[in-house]
Amino acid sequence: MSEGLNAWTCKGCGAVYFPERYLCVKCGSPDFETVLVEGGVIEDMTVVRHVIGQKDWQPKPIATVLIDGGARILAGVTDDAQPGDRVRLSQEEQAPYARRA
Amino acid sequence: MAIRPTYDNTAVIGTGQSVYTRRPEPGKLAHHFIRDAIVAALDDGGIGLGEVDGFAVSSMSIAPDAAVDLAWRLGISTRWLHQDTNGGSASISAFGAAVRAIEMGAANVVIVAAGDATGLDGYAKIAANFNRAIRDHAAALGYGGPNTAYALLTRRQMAAYGLEKTDYGHMAIAQRAWAAGNPFATYRDPMTMDDYLNAPMVVDPLCRFDCVPVVAGGQAVILAHPDRVPKGRAPVRVRSLGYSYNHDHQATDGLETGASVFAKDLWDLAGAGPDDIDVASIYDDYPAMIVAQLDDLGFMPDHDAKGFIHNRIKDRSFPVNTWGGMLSAGQPGGHAGGLNGVSEIVLQLQHRAGERQVKDAKLGLVTGYGMTMYRYGATAGAAVLERG
């Protein structure tokens, strides 16, 4: 687990994206660079209690997080953070996680 | 200047489906279910396999085969071939492509087919590897499939529209009542609000009866010139088609679907509006998405979803998903599930829908919605069909 989330920002206009894009929706630029986003706000949240074909599943909280810079992402929630809370972002491989800031 | 298309040379000639089963026998593939549907549709339309010169198919479980492999194994030689990958809108997308192919002279007799037989384990694998975004950025979180995306969306819709869990329950219960009239439906016994509210929670706030049961099954329709319609049967013609792909780049709350983009054109080209629709198949992967599409298409005055559910859906005075929808009949993959919606409107407009027949149905609507790329569906399609 590493601190912050690797997102992508358009070199042309600064728009922030996650996942990666190849052309900027806002300005059409093909040039992006990675940017480490540290935080965001939880907009809504659920708990995944059952998954088809899985036995011994442990409930997993997942949230929509509006990250700093503007993109909406899906993130796993690792503590008792709730909708409306400001969160710190981290990532494991390419998967984003959030905890109360 | 935009072209105003007409579809005078095309009608639906026949429909057919396979059995739907929760647990397919070992060795029974999507291919077999698609075959069974095609055999039934050819028989229904009085069309010989050798007359077919166009073929469209969609499935998420025929890989590594593709459309031409199916054509080979089914003994179909064509001059027009199409494989549609647009999930819950794949079949309405393929249906429109087939209509346009016939109108442009690319084919005369087209089979549009779909089917899946993933099994439950196969479904889980497909769900976790749905695309790069889900595989790389969501699967490890315990995403587990589209239930998670629509749980979050349903929460947003409940807040925006002032809906409660029981409102969605009325929709699921009404569809179960319709399913009683569909001999192919997987679940036909009446459902009560207690049944709905006491069902296990799957992904909050979605309970078991908000999530479509995965089944194996296939669907097919045959399109050709209206003079090929079997004697004594009304042709079903296309009034208008509408499509949208990646309407909002997954950047909003997802409460408006791609149908919001084409709704005005769909009705303008049809020369009709929501009040003229006698029967509708609204793609029902989740009750919330029925609400979203109906609102996008202008069925809910003042966006009053609660009022529409209680005054039109609960008492079934507005006939929506008269085959029980995927929520009760089962989801044989989103592709065939969407095509079942088409077949149902065809049967209703031909007055062949048996005990679930909507009296004097003349104008019908079919929608598709699919490809939950990340946070909600990115593809949408619709057709206004008429008894001609």
Side-chain angles (χ1 to χ4, degrees):
Chain A
M1 193 84 83
S2 59
E3 284 301 302
L5 175 67
N6 279 309
W8 288 264
T9 185
C10 170
K11 284 185 174 177
C13 71
V16 172
Y17 293 103
F18 187 94
E20 184 179 12
R21 308 299 157 89
Y22 310 110
L23 287 175
C24 177
V25 173
K26 292 182 179 146
C27 76
S29 168
D31 297 320
F32 295 85
E33 58 192 351
T34 56
V35 57
L36 197 68
V37 180
E38 292 182 353
V41 175
I42 292 183
E43 290 193 327
D44 41 62
M45 212 172 144
T46 187
V47 178
V48 184
R49 298 188 187 278
H50 177 76
V51 169
I52 197 167
Q54 297 283 329
K55 293 181 179 69
D56 304 323
W57 180 264
Q58 296 302 312
K60 304 273 201 312
I62 294 185
T64 308
V65 177
L66 180 62
I67 64 172
D68 297 346
R72 288 189 169 85
I73 68 162
L74 296 174
V77 178
T78 56
D79 64 3
D80 61 351
Q82 293 297 312
D85 284 352
R86 176 139 190 98
V87 288
R88 291 180 67 84
L89 298 171
S90 58
Q91 77 179 52
E92 186 163 357
E93 297 192 354
Q94 298 185 69
Y97 292 87
R99 67 182 190 279
R100 206 190 293 268
Chain B
M1 199 178 85
I3 292 171
R4 285 190 74 88
T6 54
Y7 308 112
D8 299 334
N9 299 297
T10 312
V12 182
I13 304 301
T15 71
Q17 75 166 94
S18 75
V19 296
Y20 280 11
T21 174
R22 284 286 276 166
R23 287 181 170 70
E25 293 164 29
K28 197 147 189 229
L29 307 176
H31 304 58
H32 296 113
F33 288 95
I34 292 169
R35 173 201 58 198
D36 292 350
I38 288 173
V39 168
L42 289 169
D43 183 58
D44 185 59
I47 300 282
L49 195 60
E51 295 181 86
V52 174
D53 64 352
F55 180 45
V57 68
S58 37
S59 170
M60 57 183 179
S61 54
I62 57 170
D65 285 351
V68 74
D69 294 288
L70 251 81
W72 175 35
R73 303 271 192 152
L74 292 166
I76 301 168
S77 299
T78 70
R79 59 194 178 104
W80 184 81
L81 185 71
H82 178 84
Q83 182 165 0
D84 210 293
T85 57
N86 290 305
S89 76
S91 284
I92 197 68
S93 176
F95 179 85
V99 169
R100 288 159 174 168
I102 291 172
E103 295 291 336
M104 293 302 291
N108 289 324
V109 178
V110 179
I111 296 173
V112 178
D116 272 300
T118 58
L120 300 185
D121 291 344
Y123 178 88
K125 283 185 190 126
I126 289 167
N129 294 283
F130 188 71
N131 61 7
R132 291 178 60 223
I134 298 297
R135 183 196 64 192
D136 296 346
H137 304 304
L141 310 177
Y143 174 81
N147 288 347
T148 302
Y150 294 98
L152 293 166
L153 189 148
T154 300
R155 282 221 193 284
R156 298 193 286 272
Q157 187 180 69
M158 290 170 83
Y161 286 77
L163 293 175
E164 297 161 79
K165 183 133 181 71
T166 50
D167 297 321
Y168 299 109
H170 287 305
M171 302 175 78
I173 291 165
Q175 287 196 196
R176 180 60 64 84
W178 283 115
N182 176 9
F184 287 97
T186 305
Y187 298 102
R188 302 179 66 191
D189 293 339
M191 187 198 299
T192 67
M193 188 59 83
D194 278 349
D195 295 336
Y196 175 83
L197 293 174
N198 291 329
M201 197 61 83
V202 179
V203 187
D204 309 22
L206 304 180
C207 70
R208 177 180 290 161
F209 296 123
D210 295 308
C211 304
V212 287
V214 174
V215 300
Q219 289 281 336
V221 302
I222 312 232
L223 301 171
H225 193 276
D227 66 13
R228 295 302 311 271
V229 174
K231 279 197 172 55
R233 196 183 290 173
V236 170
R237 296 168 180 269
V238 179
R239 279 262 196 111
S240 66
L241 298 165
Y243 299 98
S244 165
Y245 304 95
N246 187 35
H247 64 300
D248 72 354
H249 310 278
Q250 301 281 298
T252 72
D253 56 18
L255 298 185
E256 288 189 359
T257 72
S260 64
V261 177
F262 61 68
K264 184 177 181 304
D265 286 348
L266 183 79
W267 295 126
D268 284 352
L269 292 167
D275 290 347
D276 301 313
I277 294 296
D278 299 310
V279 57
S281 291
I282 306 296
Y283 191 83
D284 66 321
D285 47 356
Y286 299 89
M289 298 326 295
I290 305 174
V291 170
Q293 293 172 86
L294 285 173
D295 195 24
D296 287 343
L297 290 165
F299 283 91
M300 297 173 169
D302 302 322
H303 307 287
D304 179 11
K306 200 179 193 74
F308 195 84
I309 292 166
H310 284 264
N311 301 325
R312 304 302 310 278
I313 293 180
K314 182 180 162 186
D315 65 0
R316 296 195 286 152
S317 62
F318 179 65
V320 58
N321 298 337
T322 47
W323 52 289
M326 297 189 298
L327 286 170
S328 277
Q331 185 189 48
H335 307 78
L339 196 52
N340 199 333
V342 175
S343 296
E344 176 67 10
I345 295 303
V346 171
L347 293 175
Q348 289 284 356
L349 296 178
Q350 291 178 329
H351 301 168
R352 296 200 292 151
E355 59 182 275
R356 64 185 190 277
Q357 178 65 48
V358 173
K359 195 162 179 287
D360 299 328
K362 293 186 185 68
L363 202 65
L365 171 72
V366 188
T367 75
Y369 171 81
M371 299 309 283
T372 308
M373 300 196 297
Y374 188 49
R375 296 179 48 240
Y376 44 82
T379 71
V384 176
L385 304 180
E386 70 176 328
R387 180 182 169 92

